[in-house]
Amino acid sequence: MKLLILLGLILNLTYASVVDGYLDNLKQEVQKTDPNFKEFDIKRGEEIFTSKHMGKRGKEISCTSCHGIDLTKSTKNFFTGKIIEPLSPKANPKRFTKVKNIKKWLRRNFNDVYNREGTALEKGDVITYILSKDK
């Protein structure tokens, strides 16, 4: 039991350091165009995550269409019906453990919903929103 607790703590620290580092990089990117930028915003992230748009396949879609509202639960992909594991890092310790995967999925999901790659500000806001749901 102690080993499982220790493993859980290590995984949480791993995802925390990876996602914190990525958010720092995004913040620096935003500050290049807005030197007064201070921090990412949960409310902006929620708006991005929950608002509906005409997606790349010509259907109205939002991030919640595939990930749902409760990010601690598995859901089904809106288009394929495949199971998507929870987006919450607490419910799914594999989330936010590799920057390469974070970038890949943000790019893919922004393209699916918004028909474009998200900005550094949007990406940071969405990640901040997702992480806020774990508190």
Side-chain angles (χ1 to χ4, degrees):
M1 183 65 165
K2 288 181 183 179
L3 183 61
L4 288 175
I5 292 170
L6 181 61
L7 183 59
L9 287 172
I10 291 170
L11 286 173
N12 275 339
L13 291 174
T14 300
Y15 104 76
S17 65
V18 169
V19 78
D20 286 347
Y22 183 59
L23 284 171
D24 285 343
N25 288 340
L26 290 173
K27 183 177 181 178
Q28 290 172 13
E29 196 173 324
V30 174
Q31 287 174 330
K32 289 177 185 175
T33 57
D34 181 3
N36 296 320
F37 177 76
K38 298 289 183 229
E39 61 187 31
F40 296 109
D41 185 75
I42 293 169
K43 288 291 182 194
R44 282 192 313 253
E46 180 178 29
E47 175 63 25
I48 293 165
F49 197 83
T50 60
S51 62
K52 292 189 176 203
H53 302 273
M54 196 57 64
K56 76 174 188 177
R57 296 189 184 175
K59 293 187 179 189
E60 192 174 65
I61 186 173
S62 71
C63 300
T64 60
S65 299
C66 291
H67 294 288
I69 297 294
D70 184 347
L71 303 182
T72 65
K73 295 190 171 150
S74 295
T75 54
K76 287 187 179 182
N77 182 291
F78 180 77
F79 297 111
T80 67
K82 291 181 182 176
I83 297 295
I84 300 174
E85 295 302 321
L87 194 53
S88 161
K90 284 194 177 176
N92 181 2
K94 294 177 186 174
R95 292 288 184 193
F96 298 112
T97 56
K98 295 181 182 176
V99 171
K100 176 182 170 183
N101 289 342
I102 297 169
K103 288 179 178 181
K104 171 184 141 182
W105 286 108
L106 282 171
R107 182 177 52 252
R108 185 176 292 179
N109 290 337
F110 265 96
N111 278 322
D112 284 350
V113 176
Y114 288 91
N115 292 309
R116 63 176 174 78
E117 187 168 335
T119 66
L121 178 63
E122 290 170 326
K123 292 173 186 177
D125 286 342
V126 166
I127 292 170
T128 301
Y129 167 71
I130 291 167
L131 296 177
S132 77
K133 302 300 270 177
D134 273 356
K135 295 179 180 174

